[in-house]
Amino acid sequence: MLSKGRLAALGFQHVLAMYAGAVIVPLLIGGALGFNGEQMTYLVSIDIFMCGIATLLQLSMNRFFGIGLPVVLGCAVQAIAPIILIGQDMGIGAIYGSIIASGLFVLLIAPFFSKVVKFFPPVVTGSVVTVIGLTLIPVAINNLAGGEGAKDFGSFYNIGLGFFTLFLIILVYRFGRGFSKSIAVLIGLIGGSIVAIILRGINFAPVSQADWFHLPQPFYFGAPSFEWPAIITMILISLVSMVESTGVYFALSDIVGRSLSKKDLARGYRAEGLAIILGGIFNTFPYTGYSQNVGLVQLSGIKTRKVIYVTAGFLIVLGLVPKIGAITTIIPTPVLGGAMVAMFGMVVAQGIKMLGKVNFTSQENLLIIACSVGVGLGVTVVPDLFQNFPSFVQLFTSNGIVAGSFTAILLNIIFNMIPHRKPKEVEQTELQSESK
């Protein structure tokens, strides 16, 4: 039986483990879309609040939603680049319209996703996540240099501060033990900000101007609009998130010693769908299971949901206090950039890790990876490539992530799902290996 003090400490530990990953999403998106201080403070605060609500939805266990595992939900990092592109091309309303639509899609597909998941083997999901990470790296480097358009872009101060933050994160990963390694990014952000305060100071006006308390406000940034290219993009991102969440569910079920049925998984997907819809209504972002908290459950050995209920409670309280959210908005851009290099690099590394499950002796799999990554990056670098094509075609080529995803899915169907006769040489090789 855990004491109240230990329960609170364990719950807050989970908050620290996921806080940097959750906060970085609104900071990046709001910064890229030119939000002012007040808007950024709201965005961060409501994001943390909704992380708590989303986690509660997943912890609950009823007939309709909730997988009932000690899982923490946070913003899907893979949604950052698509959301920024949608906001820049179609406006803020299109972002939240596409998020709401994708949440409804997840709700509808939840009972059938076990059948759809065969279209998303590691060769597809790994390629998609790799493309997502690679498209984010330029954002990180721009911020490390001071932010695109900054007067001191590329100055020794900005680059030095950014690389100091990155170096500090690396040091914590190298020499830290246990929990400290799980919050290396948070330590890097704090350390980089302290150095910035010492060298040039930081403007604390957004913190002093922020309120002590606020209530969530639906459609804070305006009414949603529904644009097909944006909706298709967010549905693809949601599908990738569902595949990742499936891995989180099974990892946790193994830790707690509980087998999962198809009904359990469907309830888990529905909880995520509800969280995504609420995210769109309250102007936050899509949510997914956080793997860093899975590692913390394993590390601590505490498998009870009571701890995660406390975590959700902390997140909700923190999200209702704008002054806390405002603190994260004053982090200098180069400091964020240094942390982003590590985080977005980890997205690429995660994609490569997922590809590690692929059979690389198959030339077909190599071609799927090569073409999907090549097309995805090509469209990202040259976004006007398909501007003269019909609008229907441009639905699938509107950004690199969508183009890369469709390429991976289509080629996987062609090479790995449609029955085809193997060359005689391959058949003979397989027969020889079987006879041995």
Side-chain angles (χ1 to χ4, degrees):
M1 185 72 177
L2 293 171
S3 66
K4 290 181 180 179
R6 195 176 178 203
L7 202 60
L10 289 167
F12 196 66
Q13 181 176 248
H14 274 281
V15 173
L16 292 176
M18 59 82 69
Y19 194 82
V23 167
I24 203 81
V25 176
L27 289 178
L28 288 182
I29 294 171
L33 298 179
F35 287 4
N36 60 35
E38 183 181 346
Q39 291 172 322
M40 288 290 285
T41 297
Y42 175 83
L43 199 63
V44 171
S45 298
I46 194 63
D47 170 61
I48 295 301
F49 176 85
M50 286 306 303
C51 284
I53 297 297
T55 300
L56 284 179
L57 289 174
Q58 199 61 280
L59 288 171
S60 305
M61 203 170 174
N62 54 56
R63 292 178 62 186
F64 185 67
F65 64 83
I67 199 163
L69 289 170
V71 59
V72 177
L73 267 66
C75 290
V77 176
Q78 58 265 33
I80 294 174
I83 286 174
I84 290 173
L85 290 170
I86 291 168
Q88 290 173 340
D89 295 343
M90 304 175 205
I92 306 299
I95 292 175
Y96 295 113
S98 64
I99 290 174
I100 292 170
S102 66
L104 288 170
F105 176 82
V106 171
L107 275 181
L108 293 173
I109 203 174
F112 316 106
F113 188 69
S114 59
K115 297 178 182 178
V116 178
V117 75
K118 64 184 179 182
F119 290 97
F120 296 88
V123 70
V124 172
T125 55
S127 299
V128 172
V129 173
T130 301
V131 170
I132 289 169
L134 290 173
T135 58
L136 287 170
I137 295 297
V139 177
I141 297 300
N142 268 317
N143 279 283
L144 186 145
E148 197 168 351
K151 293 180 181 179
D152 60 346
F153 184 88
S155 67
F156 287 112
Y157 171 78
N158 287 340
I159 292 177
L161 188 59
F163 276 107
F164 169 80
T165 303
L166 177 59
F167 185 62
L168 182 56
I169 293 170
I170 293 170
L171 282 178
V172 175
Y173 261 100
R174 173 62 182 85
F175 297 106
R177 292 290 182 270
F179 177 61
S180 63
K181 292 180 72 171
S182 69
I183 59 168
V185 172
L186 186 62
I187 293 172
L189 290 171
I190 293 171
S193 299
I194 291 172
V195 170
I197 291 172
I198 295 170
L199 295 179
R200 287 194 181 180
I202 290 179
N203 180 16
F204 284 90
V207 180
S208 61
Q209 293 168 4
D211 296 328
W212 279 104
F213 179 80
H214 77 151
L215 288 173
Q217 182 180 331
F219 305 118
Y220 178 87
F221 293 106
S225 61
F226 298 91
E227 306 286 345
W228 275 111
I231 290 171
I232 290 173
T233 301
M234 292 312 301
I235 284 175
L236 279 171
I237 297 302
S238 295
L239 287 169
V240 172
S241 295
M242 290 173 78
V243 173
E244 288 187 327
S245 290
T246 304
V248 170
Y249 299 156
F250 279 112
L252 280 171
S253 69
D254 183 62
I255 292 170
V256 303
R258 173 186 148 199
S259 59
L260 294 177
S261 66
K262 287 185 178 180
K263 289 183 178 180
D264 291 327
L265 291 172
R267 287 198 301 268
Y269 300 140
R270 286 196 196 99
E272 285 197 17
L274 285 172
I276 294 169
I277 292 170
L278 289 173
I281 292 172
F282 287 99
N283 290 170
T284 59
F285 309 108
Y287 293 93
T288 188
Y290 263 22
S291 57
Q292 53 262 54
N293 292 90
V294 177
L296 200 51
V297 172
Q298 179 75 65
L299 187 69
S300 67
I302 307 297
K303 305 168 186 179
T304 174
R305 282 184 291 163
K306 290 181 181 179
V307 172
I308 310 302
Y309 274 114
V310 173
T311 301
F314 273 127
L315 290 170
I316 290 170
V317 171
L318 291 173
L320 292 174
V321 183
K323 278 194 182 294
I324 297 174
I327 292 172
T328 61
T329 68
I330 63 173
I331 298 172
T333 303
V335 173
L336 282 175
M340 288 175 203
V341 171
M343 288 193 63
F344 296 164
M346 287 297 286
V347 175
V348 178
Q350 179 65 25
I352 295 171
K353 181 182 177 182
M354 294 165 78
L355 289 173
K357 301 175 183 177
V358 175
N359 175 18
F360 283 113
T361 60
S362 165
Q363 291 295 322
E364 289 87 351
N365 284 338
L366 291 176
L367 190 62
I368 292 169
I369 297 167
C371 291
S372 57
V373 173
V375 170
L377 285 182
V379 173
T380 300
V381 175
V382 188
D384 297 330
L385 179 65
F386 297 99
Q387 63 178 352
N388 295 322
F389 280 64
S391 57
F392 176 77
V393 175
Q394 292 185 45
L395 289 178
F396 306 97
T397 59
S398 54
N399 67 61
I401 295 170
V402 177
S405 299
F406 268 102
T407 302
I409 293 168
L410 182 62
L411 291 182
N412 179 63
I413 292 171
I414 292 172
F415 288 126
N416 294 329
M417 298 184 71
I418 296 176
H420 61 281
R421 182 175 177 79
K422 297 179 181 178
K424 289 184 179 179
E425 296 83 358
V426 175
E427 290 181 347
Q428 289 173 356
T429 303
E430 290 181 350
L431 287 171
Q432 289 173 2
S433 61
E434 286 175 3
S435 63
K436 292 179 182 178

PDB file of all heavy atoms in Angstrom, residues 42 96-97 100 216-224 226 277-283:
ATOM      1  N   TYR A  42      -1.655  30.406 -23.455  1.00  0.00           N
ATOM      2  CA  TYR A  42      -2.890  29.604 -23.489  1.00  0.00           C
ATOM      3  C   TYR A  42      -2.612  28.238 -24.102  1.00  0.00           C
ATOM      4  O   TYR A  42      -3.053  27.213 -23.587  1.00  0.00           O
ATOM      5  CB  TYR A  42      -3.975  30.314 -24.291  1.00  0.00           C
ATOM      6  CG  TYR A  42      -5.219  29.456 -24.448  1.00  0.00           C
ATOM      7  CD1 TYR A  42      -6.183  29.416 -23.442  1.00  0.00           C
ATOM      8  CD2 TYR A  42      -5.406  28.647 -25.567  1.00  0.00           C
ATOM      9  CE1 TYR A  42      -7.305  28.596 -23.559  1.00  0.00           C
ATOM     10  CE2 TYR A  42      -6.517  27.832 -25.696  1.00  0.00           C
ATOM     11  CZ  TYR A  42      -7.472  27.814 -24.688  1.00  0.00           C
ATOM     12  OH  TYR A  42      -8.563  26.993 -24.807  1.00  0.00           O
ATOM     13  N   TYR A  96      -7.589  22.736 -36.662  1.00  0.00           N
ATOM     14  CA  TYR A  96      -8.485  22.133 -35.678  1.00  0.00           C
ATOM     15  C   TYR A  96      -9.652  21.394 -36.326  1.00  0.00           C
ATOM     16  O   TYR A  96     -10.159  20.418 -35.761  1.00  0.00           O
ATOM     17  CB  TYR A  96      -8.940  23.201 -34.687  1.00  0.00           C
ATOM     18  CG  TYR A  96      -7.756  23.707 -33.897  1.00  0.00           C
ATOM     19  CD1 TYR A  96      -7.282  25.007 -34.037  1.00  0.00           C
ATOM     20  CD2 TYR A  96      -7.062  22.845 -33.060  1.00  0.00           C
ATOM     21  CE1 TYR A  96      -6.156  25.440 -33.341  1.00  0.00           C
ATOM     22  CE2 TYR A  96      -5.944  23.262 -32.364  1.00  0.00           C
ATOM     23  CZ  TYR A  96      -5.494  24.559 -32.506  1.00  0.00           C
ATOM     24  OH  TYR A  96      -4.376  24.970 -31.840  1.00  0.00           O
ATOM     25  N   GLY A  97     -10.046  21.810 -37.511  1.00  0.00           N
ATOM     26  CA  GLY A  97     -11.045  21.038 -38.247  1.00  0.00           C
ATOM     27  C   GLY A  97     -10.514  19.660 -38.610  1.00  0.00           C
ATOM     28  O   GLY A  97     -11.218  18.649 -38.480  1.00  0.00           O
ATOM     29  N   ILE A 100     -10.292  17.427 -35.400  1.00  0.00           N
ATOM     30  CA  ILE A 100     -11.607  16.900 -35.013  1.00  0.00           C
ATOM     31  C   ILE A 100     -12.028  15.766 -35.956  1.00  0.00           C
ATOM     32  O   ILE A 100     -12.497  14.714 -35.517  1.00  0.00           O
ATOM     33  CB  ILE A 100     -12.659  18.027 -35.025  1.00  0.00           C
ATOM     34  CG1 ILE A 100     -12.377  19.030 -33.893  1.00  0.00           C
ATOM     35  CG2 ILE A 100     -14.073  17.452 -34.873  1.00  0.00           C
ATOM     36  CD1 ILE A 100     -13.213  20.294 -33.965  1.00  0.00           C
ATOM     37  N   PRO A 216     -10.545  26.349 -19.443  1.00  0.00           N
ATOM     38  CA  PRO A 216     -10.436  26.023 -20.874  1.00  0.00           C
ATOM     39  C   PRO A 216     -11.572  26.670 -21.670  1.00  0.00           C
ATOM     40  O   PRO A 216     -12.718  26.712 -21.204  1.00  0.00           O
ATOM     41  CB  PRO A 216     -10.537  24.501 -20.896  1.00  0.00           C
ATOM     42  CG  PRO A 216     -10.130  24.073 -19.528  1.00  0.00           C
ATOM     43  CD  PRO A 216     -10.592  25.150 -18.604  1.00  0.00           C
ATOM     44  N   GLN A 217     -11.258  27.153 -22.843  1.00  0.00           N
ATOM     45  CA  GLN A 217     -12.235  27.846 -23.683  1.00  0.00           C
ATOM     46  C   GLN A 217     -12.330  27.164 -25.041  1.00  0.00           C
ATOM     47  O   GLN A 217     -11.354  27.133 -25.788  1.00  0.00           O
ATOM     48  CB  GLN A 217     -11.810  29.308 -23.862  1.00  0.00           C
ATOM     49  CG  GLN A 217     -12.779  30.134 -24.685  1.00  0.00           C
ATOM     50  CD  GLN A 217     -12.309  31.571 -24.832  1.00  0.00           C
ATOM     51  OE1 GLN A 217     -11.619  32.095 -23.956  1.00  0.00           O
ATOM     52  NE2 GLN A 217     -12.670  32.202 -25.937  1.00  0.00           N
ATOM     53  N   PRO A 218     -13.490  26.600 -25.376  1.00  0.00           N
ATOM     54  CA  PRO A 218     -13.622  25.951 -26.684  1.00  0.00           C
ATOM     55  C   PRO A 218     -13.397  26.946 -27.827  1.00  0.00           C
ATOM     56  O   PRO A 218     -13.813  28.096 -27.758  1.00  0.00           O
ATOM     57  CB  PRO A 218     -15.067  25.437 -26.678  1.00  0.00           C
ATOM     58  CG  PRO A 218     -15.454  25.382 -25.232  1.00  0.00           C
ATOM     59  CD  PRO A 218     -14.701  26.494 -24.568  1.00  0.00           C
ATOM     60  N   PHE A 219     -12.714  26.468 -28.859  1.00  0.00           N
ATOM     61  CA  PHE A 219     -12.461  27.244 -30.082  1.00  0.00           C
ATOM     62  C   PHE A 219     -11.849  28.615 -29.759  1.00  0.00           C
ATOM     63  O   PHE A 219     -12.284  29.640 -30.284  1.00  0.00           O
ATOM     64  CB  PHE A 219     -13.745  27.383 -30.893  1.00  0.00           C
ATOM     65  CG  PHE A 219     -14.395  26.057 -31.207  1.00  0.00           C
ATOM     66  CD1 PHE A 219     -15.663  25.761 -30.751  1.00  0.00           C
ATOM     67  CD2 PHE A 219     -13.708  25.093 -31.948  1.00  0.00           C
ATOM     68  CE1 PHE A 219     -16.260  24.532 -31.024  1.00  0.00           C
ATOM     69  CE2 PHE A 219     -14.298  23.867 -32.226  1.00  0.00           C
ATOM     70  CZ  PHE A 219     -15.571  23.582 -31.769  1.00  0.00           C
ATOM     71  N   TYR A 220     -10.844  28.604 -28.910  1.00  0.00           N
ATOM     72  CA  TYR A 220     -10.148  29.830 -28.499  1.00  0.00           C
ATOM     73  C   TYR A 220      -9.590  30.583 -29.710  1.00  0.00           C
ATOM     74  O   TYR A 220      -9.606  31.809 -29.749  1.00  0.00           O
ATOM     75  CB  TYR A 220      -9.021  29.458 -27.533  1.00  0.00           C
ATOM     76  CG  TYR A 220      -8.177  30.614 -27.044  1.00  0.00           C
ATOM     77  CD1 TYR A 220      -8.557  31.352 -25.925  1.00  0.00           C
ATOM     78  CD2 TYR A 220      -6.990  30.957 -27.688  1.00  0.00           C
ATOM     79  CE1 TYR A 220      -7.779  32.406 -25.468  1.00  0.00           C
ATOM     80  CE2 TYR A 220      -6.207  32.005 -27.239  1.00  0.00           C
ATOM     81  CZ  TYR A 220      -6.604  32.726 -26.128  1.00  0.00           C
ATOM     82  OH  TYR A 220      -5.832  33.758 -25.680  1.00  0.00           O
ATOM     83  N   PHE A 221      -9.100  29.837 -30.705  1.00  0.00           N
ATOM     84  CA  PHE A 221      -8.490  30.463 -31.880  1.00  0.00           C
ATOM     85  C   PHE A 221      -9.464  30.605 -33.049  1.00  0.00           C
ATOM     86  O   PHE A 221      -9.062  30.882 -34.171  1.00  0.00           O
ATOM     87  CB  PHE A 221      -7.267  29.659 -32.328  1.00  0.00           C
ATOM     88  CG  PHE A 221      -6.134  29.684 -31.345  1.00  0.00           C
ATOM     89  CD1 PHE A 221      -5.849  28.569 -30.580  1.00  0.00           C
ATOM     90  CD2 PHE A 221      -5.365  30.822 -31.170  1.00  0.00           C
ATOM     91  CE1 PHE A 221      -4.820  28.576 -29.655  1.00  0.00           C
ATOM     92  CE2 PHE A 221      -4.326  30.847 -30.247  1.00  0.00           C
ATOM     93  CZ  PHE A 221      -4.051  29.724 -29.485  1.00  0.00           C
ATOM     94  N   GLY A 222     -10.752  30.412 -32.797  1.00  0.00           N
ATOM     95  CA  GLY A 222     -11.739  30.584 -33.850  1.00  0.00           C
ATOM     96  C   GLY A 222     -12.380  29.276 -34.274  1.00  0.00           C
ATOM     97  O   GLY A 222     -11.972  28.185 -33.853  1.00  0.00           O
ATOM     98  N   ALA A 223     -13.401  29.395 -35.108  1.00  0.00           N
ATOM     99  CA  ALA A 223     -14.158  28.226 -35.559  1.00  0.00           C
ATOM    100  C   ALA A 223     -13.307  27.343 -36.468  1.00  0.00           C
ATOM    101  O   ALA A 223     -12.473  27.843 -37.231  1.00  0.00           O
ATOM    102  CB  ALA A 223     -15.412  28.675 -36.297  1.00  0.00           C
ATOM    103  N   PRO A 224     -13.505  26.017 -36.396  1.00  0.00           N
ATOM    104  CA  PRO A 224     -12.741  25.119 -37.277  1.00  0.00           C
ATOM    105  C   PRO A 224     -13.256  25.168 -38.707  1.00  0.00           C
ATOM    106  O   PRO A 224     -14.429  25.475 -38.953  1.00  0.00           O
ATOM    107  CB  PRO A 224     -12.991  23.742 -36.655  1.00  0.00           C
ATOM    108  CG  PRO A 224     -14.335  23.865 -36.003  1.00  0.00           C
ATOM    109  CD  PRO A 224     -14.406  25.291 -35.503  1.00  0.00           C
ATOM    110  N   PHE A 226     -12.971  22.793 -42.466  1.00  0.00           N
ATOM    111  CA  PHE A 226     -12.691  21.412 -42.849  1.00  0.00           C
ATOM    112  C   PHE A 226     -12.201  21.374 -44.301  1.00  0.00           C
ATOM    113  O   PHE A 226     -12.983  21.545 -45.238  1.00  0.00           O
ATOM    114  CB  PHE A 226     -13.932  20.554 -42.653  1.00  0.00           C
ATOM    115  CG  PHE A 226     -14.388  20.501 -41.216  1.00  0.00           C
ATOM    116  CD1 PHE A 226     -15.318  21.424 -40.734  1.00  0.00           C
ATOM    117  CD2 PHE A 226     -13.867  19.569 -40.335  1.00  0.00           C
ATOM    118  CE1 PHE A 226     -15.730  21.396 -39.408  1.00  0.00           C
ATOM    119  CE2 PHE A 226     -14.262  19.531 -39.009  1.00  0.00           C
ATOM    120  CZ  PHE A 226     -15.187  20.444 -38.537  1.00  0.00           C
ATOM    121  N   ILE A 277     -10.571  14.456 -30.478  1.00  0.00           N
ATOM    122  CA  ILE A 277     -11.718  15.349 -30.726  1.00  0.00           C
ATOM    123  C   ILE A 277     -11.724  16.500 -29.729  1.00  0.00           C
ATOM    124  O   ILE A 277     -11.894  17.676 -30.103  1.00  0.00           O
ATOM    125  CB  ILE A 277     -13.040  14.564 -30.649  1.00  0.00           C
ATOM    126  CG1 ILE A 277     -13.130  13.577 -31.817  1.00  0.00           C
ATOM    127  CG2 ILE A 277     -14.247  15.514 -30.678  1.00  0.00           C
ATOM    128  CD1 ILE A 277     -14.284  12.592 -31.697  1.00  0.00           C
ATOM    129  N   LEU A 278     -11.534  16.183 -28.443  1.00  0.00           N
ATOM    130  CA  LEU A 278     -11.475  17.236 -27.422  1.00  0.00           C
ATOM    131  C   LEU A 278     -10.307  18.177 -27.679  1.00  0.00           C
ATOM    132  O   LEU A 278     -10.402  19.386 -27.451  1.00  0.00           O
ATOM    133  CB  LEU A 278     -11.355  16.610 -26.031  1.00  0.00           C
ATOM    134  CG  LEU A 278     -12.606  15.892 -25.512  1.00  0.00           C
ATOM    135  CD1 LEU A 278     -12.300  15.176 -24.201  1.00  0.00           C
ATOM    136  CD2 LEU A 278     -13.744  16.884 -25.311  1.00  0.00           C
ATOM    137  N   GLY A 279      -9.197  17.622 -28.165  1.00  0.00           N
ATOM    138  CA  GLY A 279      -8.051  18.453 -28.525  1.00  0.00           C
ATOM    139  C   GLY A 279      -8.407  19.466 -29.595  1.00  0.00           C
ATOM    140  O   GLY A 279      -8.017  20.630 -29.530  1.00  0.00           O
ATOM    141  N   GLY A 280      -9.173  19.025 -30.601  1.00  0.00           N
ATOM    142  CA  GLY A 280      -9.596  19.947 -31.653  1.00  0.00           C
ATOM    143  C   GLY A 280     -10.565  20.999 -31.143  1.00  0.00           C
ATOM    144  O   GLY A 280     -10.489  22.165 -31.527  1.00  0.00           O
ATOM    145  N   ILE A 281     -11.476  20.601 -30.262  1.00  0.00           N
ATOM    146  CA  ILE A 281     -12.467  21.541 -29.724  1.00  0.00           C
ATOM    147  C   ILE A 281     -11.810  22.608 -28.850  1.00  0.00           C
ATOM    148  O   ILE A 281     -12.125  23.798 -28.938  1.00  0.00           O
ATOM    149  CB  ILE A 281     -13.546  20.785 -28.926  1.00  0.00           C
ATOM    150  CG1 ILE A 281     -14.396  19.924 -29.884  1.00  0.00           C
ATOM    151  CG2 ILE A 281     -14.442  21.753 -28.149  1.00  0.00           C
ATOM    152  CD1 ILE A 281     -15.358  18.994 -29.184  1.00  0.00           C
ATOM    153  N   PHE A 282     -10.848  22.184 -28.019  1.00  0.00           N
ATOM    154  CA  PHE A 282     -10.196  23.127 -27.105  1.00  0.00           C
ATOM    155  C   PHE A 282      -8.883  23.671 -27.661  1.00  0.00           C
ATOM    156  O   PHE A 282      -8.092  24.269 -26.941  1.00  0.00           O
ATOM    157  CB  PHE A 282      -9.964  22.467 -25.744  1.00  0.00           C
ATOM    158  CG  PHE A 282     -11.239  22.293 -24.965  1.00  0.00           C
ATOM    159  CD1 PHE A 282     -11.902  21.072 -24.953  1.00  0.00           C
ATOM    160  CD2 PHE A 282     -11.803  23.345 -24.267  1.00  0.00           C
ATOM    161  CE1 PHE A 282     -13.090  20.904 -24.253  1.00  0.00           C
ATOM    162  CE2 PHE A 282     -12.991  23.192 -23.569  1.00  0.00           C
ATOM    163  CZ  PHE A 282     -13.639  21.970 -23.557  1.00  0.00           C
ATOM    164  N   ASN A 283      -8.677  23.452 -28.967  1.00  0.00           N
ATOM    165  CA  ASN A 283      -7.537  24.029 -29.681  1.00  0.00           C
ATOM    166  C   ASN A 283      -6.187  23.567 -29.146  1.00  0.00           C
ATOM    167  O   ASN A 283      -5.278  24.369 -28.895  1.00  0.00           O
ATOM    168  CB  ASN A 283      -7.614  25.557 -29.689  1.00  0.00           C
ATOM    169  CG  ASN A 283      -8.736  26.094 -30.560  1.00  0.00           C
ATOM    170  OD1 ASN A 283      -9.064  27.269 -30.538  1.00  0.00           O
ATOM    171  ND2 ASN A 283      -9.357  25.230 -31.352  1.00  0.00           N
TER     172      ASN A 283
END
